[in-house]
Amino acid sequence: MQQVYLHALFALIFAAALYPFIGVYSIVVFLSGFVFDIDHYIYYAIKKRDFNFMNGYFYHVPGSKVHEPHRDSLHIFHTWEMWLLLFTLIFLIHEIFLFILLGLVFHMIFDWGYLLFRKDEINARAWSLI
């Protein structure tokens, strides 16, 4: 997991670039650009039965005292099924889900870029619920 502040910084820049085109919905894009990483904490809390937020964060940071190597971690918001759900909700409920999906896509592109440089972590995450 990259530093959360980098996700937030790049999501802010992306949302600011979109603001002239989508207005206040850029706030939704900004938030969904990094809030989806909460699933890292959820995974840690369930796996370790520890609800310490900082331990949950550092569990995913290589080199930290809490970090443990792991494979196929289920980060639920990072699965293709979440993309499909958001895409479906665009048509069923409201267009706001389009901007949530846009933020998630931006977030995942950022994650994939990171994984290209950290090939040892490519299998650390499950990409599907199946």
Side-chain angles (χ1 to χ4, degrees), residues 112-123:
W112 291 331
Y114 174 78
L115 290 173
L116 285 174
F117 294 102
R118 296 290 309 243
K119 294 188 187 320
D120 57 322
E121 292 187 27
I122 197 77
N123 292 320

Side-chain angles (χ1 to χ4, degrees), residues 50-61:
D50 177 11
F51 297 98
N52 182 302
F53 190 76
M54 292 310 294
N55 284 347
Y57 172 76
F58 285 117
Y59 177 77
H60 292 88
V61 177

